Amino acid sequence: PVILLDTMGELFKVYSLAQAVFVGASLVAPGGGHNLLEPASLGKATFHGPYLEYKQGDADELARAGLAVQATNADELAREAGRVLADAEYRAALSDKARAFIQERRGASQLVAEKIIQLLEAVGE
């Protein structure tokens, strides 16, 4: 089955139901794309188009880790998604790898908060 959404604020919940996720708004220019890290954080195989505007850094990092695939057309998307959907062991390995990838990058909010506190303390001196 395929789930197609045209509403705000529901993607993350629906990603949890998927075996593979195509992140929309990325196949046609100007694009923009949605957050690629959300499906990865749930251990989902992630696919996207070439037009990411503000998410290219995340796409590059996920691609280097072998966790996201860019598809430039429907044939590429079908081929790559078909590979993931047909191979449960491969899908499970990707899932574990994606969760580890996200876990390694947690803590940014804490680091930013600590830096803000340091700056505020320096100003108050």
Side-chain angles (χ1 to χ4, degrees), residues 40-68:
S41 74
L42 294 170
K44 306 302 176 178
T46 304
F47 302 91
H48 60 84
Y51 302 102
L52 293 169
E53 308 290 320
Y54 309 111
K55 303 293 182 187
Q56 191 62 54
D58 291 343
D60 293 343
E61 197 171 352
L62 287 165
R64 279 192 296 275
L67 296 172

PDB file of all heavy atoms in Angstrom, residues 40-68:
ATOM      1  N   ALA A  40      14.852   8.728   8.748  1.00  0.00           N
ATOM      2  CA  ALA A  40      16.076   8.042   9.176  1.00  0.00           C
ATOM      3  C   ALA A  40      16.056   7.790  10.682  1.00  0.00           C
ATOM      4  O   ALA A  40      16.497   6.735  11.147  1.00  0.00           O
ATOM      5  CB  ALA A  40      17.308   8.858   8.795  1.00  0.00           C
ATOM      6  N   SER A  41      15.513   8.738  11.449  1.00  0.00           N
ATOM      7  CA  SER A  41      15.469   8.569  12.904  1.00  0.00           C
ATOM      8  C   SER A  41      14.575   7.403  13.316  1.00  0.00           C
ATOM      9  O   SER A  41      14.717   6.857  14.409  1.00  0.00           O
ATOM     10  CB  SER A  41      14.997   9.855  13.584  1.00  0.00           C
ATOM     11  OG  SER A  41      13.609  10.060  13.401  1.00  0.00           O
ATOM     12  N   LEU A  42      13.663   7.032  12.428  1.00  0.00           N
ATOM     13  CA  LEU A  42      12.788   5.889  12.679  1.00  0.00           C
ATOM     14  C   LEU A  42      13.325   4.611  12.033  1.00  0.00           C
ATOM     15  O   LEU A  42      12.658   3.577  12.032  1.00  0.00           O
ATOM     16  CB  LEU A  42      11.387   6.192  12.150  1.00  0.00           C
ATOM     17  CG  LEU A  42      10.659   7.318  12.873  1.00  0.00           C
ATOM     18  CD1 LEU A  42       9.396   7.711  12.118  1.00  0.00           C
ATOM     19  CD2 LEU A  42      10.328   6.921  14.299  1.00  0.00           C
ATOM     20  N   GLY A  43      14.515   4.709  11.456  1.00  0.00           N
ATOM     21  CA  GLY A  43      15.127   3.539  10.849  1.00  0.00           C
ATOM     22  C   GLY A  43      14.549   3.167   9.501  1.00  0.00           C
ATOM     23  O   GLY A  43      14.600   2.006   9.108  1.00  0.00           O
ATOM     24  N   LYS A  44      14.029   4.137   8.773  1.00  0.00           N
ATOM     25  CA  LYS A  44      13.381   3.861   7.486  1.00  0.00           C
ATOM     26  C   LYS A  44      14.329   4.126   6.330  1.00  0.00           C
ATOM     27  O   LYS A  44      15.096   5.089   6.338  1.00  0.00           O
ATOM     28  CB  LYS A  44      12.134   4.731   7.313  1.00  0.00           C
ATOM     29  CG  LYS A  44      11.156   4.623   8.462  1.00  0.00           C
ATOM     30  CD  LYS A  44      10.702   3.196   8.681  1.00  0.00           C
ATOM     31  CE  LYS A  44       9.796   3.074   9.888  1.00  0.00           C
ATOM     32  NZ  LYS A  44       9.313   1.725  10.104  1.00  0.00           N
ATOM     33  N   ALA A  45      14.245   3.270   5.312  1.00  0.00           N
ATOM     34  CA  ALA A  45      14.959   3.526   4.065  1.00  0.00           C
ATOM     35  C   ALA A  45      14.379   4.811   3.483  1.00  0.00           C
ATOM     36  O   ALA A  45      13.164   4.969   3.418  1.00  0.00           O
ATOM     37  CB  ALA A  45      14.764   2.366   3.103  1.00  0.00           C
ATOM     38  N   THR A  46      15.240   5.734   3.092  1.00  0.00           N
ATOM     39  CA  THR A  46      14.803   7.074   2.702  1.00  0.00           C
ATOM     40  C   THR A  46      15.210   7.372   1.268  1.00  0.00           C
ATOM     41  O   THR A  46      16.358   7.181   0.885  1.00  0.00           O
ATOM     42  CB  THR A  46      15.412   8.118   3.658  1.00  0.00           C
ATOM     43  OG1 THR A  46      15.047   7.776   4.995  1.00  0.00           O
ATOM     44  CG2 THR A  46      14.919   9.510   3.345  1.00  0.00           C
ATOM     45  N   PHE A  47      14.246   7.857   0.499  1.00  0.00           N
ATOM     46  CA  PHE A  47      14.465   8.227  -0.900  1.00  0.00           C
ATOM     47  C   PHE A  47      14.027   9.666  -1.089  1.00  0.00           C
ATOM     48  O   PHE A  47      13.111  10.145  -0.419  1.00  0.00           O
ATOM     49  CB  PHE A  47      13.641   7.318  -1.821  1.00  0.00           C
ATOM     50  CG  PHE A  47      13.968   5.869  -1.629  1.00  0.00           C
ATOM     51  CD1 PHE A  47      13.265   5.098  -0.723  1.00  0.00           C
ATOM     52  CD2 PHE A  47      14.998   5.287  -2.337  1.00  0.00           C
ATOM     53  CE1 PHE A  47      13.570   3.764  -0.523  1.00  0.00           C
ATOM     54  CE2 PHE A  47      15.321   3.953  -2.150  1.00  0.00           C
ATOM     55  CZ  PHE A  47      14.603   3.191  -1.237  1.00  0.00           C
ATOM     56  N   HIS A  48      14.674  10.355  -2.017  1.00  0.00           N
ATOM     57  CA  HIS A  48      14.320  11.744  -2.300  1.00  0.00           C
ATOM     58  C   HIS A  48      14.707  12.078  -3.734  1.00  0.00           C
ATOM     59  O   HIS A  48      15.478  11.354  -4.362  1.00  0.00           O
ATOM     60  CB  HIS A  48      15.011  12.702  -1.320  1.00  0.00           C
ATOM     61  CG  HIS A  48      16.513  12.616  -1.384  1.00  0.00           C
ATOM     62  ND1 HIS A  48      17.252  13.309  -2.303  1.00  0.00           N
ATOM     63  CD2 HIS A  48      17.400  11.890  -0.655  1.00  0.00           C
ATOM     64  CE1 HIS A  48      18.535  13.037  -2.134  1.00  0.00           C
ATOM     65  NE2 HIS A  48      18.654  12.170  -1.145  1.00  0.00           N
ATOM     66  N   GLY A  49      14.180  13.177  -4.208  1.00  0.00           N
ATOM     67  CA  GLY A  49      14.524  13.670  -5.531  1.00  0.00           C
ATOM     68  C   GLY A  49      15.730  14.595  -5.474  1.00  0.00           C
ATOM     69  O   GLY A  49      16.324  14.795  -4.413  1.00  0.00           O
ATOM     70  N   PRO A  50      16.105  15.214  -6.599  1.00  0.00           N
ATOM     71  CA  PRO A  50      17.313  16.030  -6.670  1.00  0.00           C
ATOM     72  C   PRO A  50      17.157  17.470  -6.167  1.00  0.00           C
ATOM     73  O   PRO A  50      18.146  18.167  -5.996  1.00  0.00           O
ATOM     74  CB  PRO A  50      17.638  16.034  -8.166  1.00  0.00           C
ATOM     75  CG  PRO A  50      16.320  15.862  -8.828  1.00  0.00           C
ATOM     76  CD  PRO A  50      15.517  14.978  -7.920  1.00  0.00           C
ATOM     77  N   TYR A  51      15.938  17.924  -5.908  1.00  0.00           N
ATOM     78  CA  TYR A  51      15.710  19.322  -5.549  1.00  0.00           C
ATOM     79  C   TYR A  51      15.437  19.453  -4.063  1.00  0.00           C
ATOM     80  O   TYR A  51      14.307  19.338  -3.608  1.00  0.00           O
ATOM     81  CB  TYR A  51      14.555  19.897  -6.366  1.00  0.00           C
ATOM     82  CG  TYR A  51      14.816  19.800  -7.848  1.00  0.00           C
ATOM     83  CD1 TYR A  51      14.209  18.808  -8.606  1.00  0.00           C
ATOM     84  CD2 TYR A  51      15.699  20.667  -8.476  1.00  0.00           C
ATOM     85  CE1 TYR A  51      14.464  18.692  -9.955  1.00  0.00           C
ATOM     86  CE2 TYR A  51      15.963  20.560  -9.835  1.00  0.00           C
ATOM     87  CZ  TYR A  51      15.342  19.564 -10.561  1.00  0.00           C
ATOM     88  OH  TYR A  51      15.598  19.452 -11.911  1.00  0.00           O
ATOM     89  N   LEU A  52      16.496  19.709  -3.305  1.00  0.00           N
ATOM     90  CA  LEU A  52      16.378  19.735  -1.859  1.00  0.00           C
ATOM     91  C   LEU A  52      16.548  21.117  -1.242  1.00  0.00           C
ATOM     92  O   LEU A  52      16.328  21.277  -0.051  1.00  0.00           O
ATOM     93  CB  LEU A  52      17.368  18.762  -1.229  1.00  0.00           C
ATOM     94  CG  LEU A  52      17.050  17.311  -1.531  1.00  0.00           C
ATOM     95  CD1 LEU A  52      18.195  16.418  -1.123  1.00  0.00           C
ATOM     96  CD2 LEU A  52      15.769  16.892  -0.844  1.00  0.00           C
ATOM     97  N   GLU A  53      16.974  22.076  -2.016  1.00  0.00           N
ATOM     98  CA  GLU A  53      17.120  23.452  -1.555  1.00  0.00           C
ATOM     99  C   GLU A  53      17.803  23.567  -0.190  1.00  0.00           C
ATOM    100  O   GLU A  53      18.970  23.795  -0.108  1.00  0.00           O
ATOM    101  CB  GLU A  53      15.774  24.168  -1.525  1.00  0.00           C
ATOM    102  CG  GLU A  53      14.981  24.106  -2.812  1.00  0.00           C
ATOM    103  CD  GLU A  53      15.561  24.919  -3.954  1.00  0.00           C
ATOM    104  OE1 GLU A  53      16.039  26.038  -3.701  1.00  0.00           O
ATOM    105  OE2 GLU A  53      15.537  24.421  -5.083  1.00  0.00           O
ATOM    106  N   TYR A  54      17.031  23.396   0.891  1.00  0.00           N
ATOM    107  CA  TYR A  54      17.544  23.647   2.237  1.00  0.00           C
ATOM    108  C   TYR A  54      17.998  22.381   2.953  1.00  0.00           C
ATOM    109  O   TYR A  54      18.456  22.451   4.079  1.00  0.00           O
ATOM    110  CB  TYR A  54      16.462  24.345   3.079  1.00  0.00           C
ATOM    111  CG  TYR A  54      15.885  25.541   2.382  1.00  0.00           C
ATOM    112  CD1 TYR A  54      14.586  25.533   1.918  1.00  0.00           C
ATOM    113  CD2 TYR A  54      16.660  26.674   2.148  1.00  0.00           C
ATOM    114  CE1 TYR A  54      14.058  26.621   1.250  1.00  0.00           C
ATOM    115  CE2 TYR A  54      16.150  27.767   1.479  1.00  0.00           C
ATOM    116  CZ  TYR A  54      14.848  27.735   1.033  1.00  0.00           C
ATOM    117  OH  TYR A  54      14.346  28.814   0.365  1.00  0.00           O
ATOM    118  N   LYS A  55      17.879  21.237   2.331  1.00  0.00           N
ATOM    119  CA  LYS A  55      18.195  19.971   2.988  1.00  0.00           C
ATOM    120  C   LYS A  55      19.352  19.243   2.329  1.00  0.00           C
ATOM    121  O   LYS A  55      19.591  18.074   2.615  1.00  0.00           O
ATOM    122  CB  LYS A  55      16.962  19.050   2.995  1.00  0.00           C
ATOM    123  CG  LYS A  55      15.745  19.648   3.641  1.00  0.00           C
ATOM    124  CD  LYS A  55      15.950  19.846   5.115  1.00  0.00           C
ATOM    125  CE  LYS A  55      14.692  20.396   5.754  1.00  0.00           C
ATOM    126  NZ  LYS A  55      14.898  20.758   7.128  1.00  0.00           N
ATOM    127  N   GLN A  56      20.083  19.897   1.454  1.00  0.00           N
ATOM    128  CA  GLN A  56      21.146  19.223   0.710  1.00  0.00           C
ATOM    129  C   GLN A  56      22.237  18.688   1.628  1.00  0.00           C
ATOM    130  O   GLN A  56      22.763  17.607   1.400  1.00  0.00           O
ATOM    131  CB  GLN A  56      21.742  20.150  -0.344  1.00  0.00           C
ATOM    132  CG  GLN A  56      22.660  19.443  -1.319  1.00  0.00           C
ATOM    133  CD  GLN A  56      21.946  18.365  -2.126  1.00  0.00           C
ATOM    134  OE1 GLN A  56      20.944  18.632  -2.758  1.00  0.00           O
ATOM    135  NE2 GLN A  56      22.451  17.141  -2.080  1.00  0.00           N
ATOM    136  N   GLY A  57      22.586  19.422   2.672  1.00  0.00           N
ATOM    137  CA  GLY A  57      23.615  18.946   3.605  1.00  0.00           C
ATOM    138  C   GLY A  57      23.218  17.630   4.258  1.00  0.00           C
ATOM    139  O   GLY A  57      24.035  16.704   4.355  1.00  0.00           O
ATOM    140  N   ASP A  58      21.969  17.544   4.705  1.00  0.00           N
ATOM    141  CA  ASP A  58      21.477  16.294   5.297  1.00  0.00           C
ATOM    142  C   ASP A  58      21.493  15.178   4.259  1.00  0.00           C
ATOM    143  O   ASP A  58      21.887  14.048   4.562  1.00  0.00           O
ATOM    144  CB  ASP A  58      20.042  16.463   5.821  1.00  0.00           C
ATOM    145  CG  ASP A  58      19.957  17.372   7.025  1.00  0.00           C
ATOM    146  OD1 ASP A  58      20.993  17.635   7.678  1.00  0.00           O
ATOM    147  OD2 ASP A  58      18.830  17.839   7.318  1.00  0.00           O
ATOM    148  N   ALA A  59      21.074  15.487   3.037  1.00  0.00           N
ATOM    149  CA  ALA A  59      21.045  14.485   1.972  1.00  0.00           C
ATOM    150  C   ALA A  59      22.452  13.961   1.689  1.00  0.00           C
ATOM    151  O   ALA A  59      22.648  12.750   1.541  1.00  0.00           O
ATOM    152  CB  ALA A  59      20.437  15.068   0.707  1.00  0.00           C
ATOM    153  N   ASP A  60      23.422  14.855   1.629  1.00  0.00           N
ATOM    154  CA  ASP A  60      24.800  14.447   1.363  1.00  0.00           C
ATOM    155  C   ASP A  60      25.337  13.546   2.472  1.00  0.00           C
ATOM    156  O   ASP A  60      25.971  12.525   2.208  1.00  0.00           O
ATOM    157  CB  ASP A  60      25.708  15.665   1.203  1.00  0.00           C
ATOM    158  CG  ASP A  60      25.400  16.479  -0.031  1.00  0.00           C
ATOM    159  OD1 ASP A  60      24.711  15.972  -0.948  1.00  0.00           O
ATOM    160  OD2 ASP A  60      25.830  17.648  -0.084  1.00  0.00           O
ATOM    161  N   GLU A  61      25.068  13.929   3.720  1.00  0.00           N
ATOM    162  CA  GLU A  61      25.548  13.144   4.853  1.00  0.00           C
ATOM    163  C   GLU A  61      24.888  11.757   4.890  1.00  0.00           C
ATOM    164  O   GLU A  61      25.548  10.746   5.110  1.00  0.00           O
ATOM    165  CB  GLU A  61      25.276  13.900   6.157  1.00  0.00           C
ATOM    166  CG  GLU A  61      26.060  13.393   7.311  1.00  0.00           C
ATOM    167  CD  GLU A  61      25.948  14.273   8.552  1.00  0.00           C
ATOM    168  OE1 GLU A  61      25.377  15.371   8.495  1.00  0.00           O
ATOM    169  OE2 GLU A  61      26.435  13.809   9.590  1.00  0.00           O
ATOM    170  N   LEU A  62      23.584  11.714   4.660  1.00  0.00           N
ATOM    171  CA  LEU A  62      22.872  10.432   4.629  1.00  0.00           C
ATOM    172  C   LEU A  62      23.345   9.572   3.459  1.00  0.00           C
ATOM    173  O   LEU A  62      23.500   8.354   3.601  1.00  0.00           O
ATOM    174  CB  LEU A  62      21.365  10.662   4.548  1.00  0.00           C
ATOM    175  CG  LEU A  62      20.706  11.157   5.833  1.00  0.00           C
ATOM    176  CD1 LEU A  62      19.305  11.689   5.550  1.00  0.00           C
ATOM    177  CD2 LEU A  62      20.670  10.073   6.891  1.00  0.00           C
ATOM    178  N   ALA A  63      23.612  10.178   2.317  1.00  0.00           N
ATOM    179  CA  ALA A  63      24.093   9.427   1.155  1.00  0.00           C
ATOM    180  C   ALA A  63      25.468   8.828   1.432  1.00  0.00           C
ATOM    181  O   ALA A  63      25.723   7.662   1.102  1.00  0.00           O
ATOM    182  CB  ALA A  63      24.133  10.321  -0.080  1.00  0.00           C
ATOM    183  N   ARG A  64      26.367   9.611   2.044  1.00  0.00           N
ATOM    184  CA  ARG A  64      27.704   9.092   2.370  1.00  0.00           C
ATOM    185  C   ARG A  64      27.614   7.885   3.309  1.00  0.00           C
ATOM    186  O   ARG A  64      28.428   6.973   3.238  1.00  0.00           O
ATOM    187  CB  ARG A  64      28.565  10.192   3.005  1.00  0.00           C
ATOM    188  CG  ARG A  64      29.197  11.138   2.008  1.00  0.00           C
ATOM    189  CD  ARG A  64      30.258  12.021   2.645  1.00  0.00           C
ATOM    190  NE  ARG A  64      29.718  12.914   3.664  1.00  0.00           N
ATOM    191  CZ  ARG A  64      29.162  14.108   3.418  1.00  0.00           C
ATOM    192  NH1 ARG A  64      29.075  14.547   2.179  1.00  0.00           N
ATOM    193  NH2 ARG A  64      28.713  14.857   4.390  1.00  0.00           N
ATOM    194  N   ALA A  65      26.605   7.903   4.182  1.00  0.00           N
ATOM    195  CA  ALA A  65      26.421   6.790   5.121  1.00  0.00           C
ATOM    196  C   ALA A  65      25.646   5.633   4.494  1.00  0.00           C
ATOM    197  O   ALA A  65      25.433   4.608   5.132  1.00  0.00           O
ATOM    198  CB  ALA A  65      25.695   7.293   6.369  1.00  0.00           C
ATOM    199  N   GLY A  66      25.213   5.809   3.240  1.00  0.00           N
ATOM    200  CA  GLY A  66      24.454   4.768   2.554  1.00  0.00           C
ATOM    201  C   GLY A  66      23.027   4.636   3.058  1.00  0.00           C
ATOM    202  O   GLY A  66      22.433   3.566   2.983  1.00  0.00           O
ATOM    203  N   LEU A  67      22.459   5.740   3.549  1.00  0.00           N
ATOM    204  CA  LEU A  67      21.139   5.693   4.173  1.00  0.00           C
ATOM    205  C   LEU A  67      20.042   6.406   3.406  1.00  0.00           C
ATOM    206  O   LEU A  67      18.878   6.317   3.783  1.00  0.00           O
ATOM    207  CB  LEU A  67      21.218   6.284   5.585  1.00  0.00           C
ATOM    208  CG  LEU A  67      22.106   5.503   6.535  1.00  0.00           C
ATOM    209  CD1 LEU A  67      22.290   6.250   7.833  1.00  0.00           C
ATOM    210  CD2 LEU A  67      21.534   4.116   6.767  1.00  0.00           C
ATOM    211  N   ALA A  68      20.392   7.114   2.368  1.00  0.00           N
ATOM    212  CA  ALA A  68      19.381   7.784   1.550  1.00  0.00           C
ATOM    213  C   ALA A  68      19.798   7.684   0.093  1.00  0.00           C
ATOM    214  O   ALA A  68      20.986   7.703  -0.220  1.00  0.00           O
ATOM    215  CB  ALA A  68      19.219   9.252   1.951  1.00  0.00           C
TER     216      ALA A  68
END
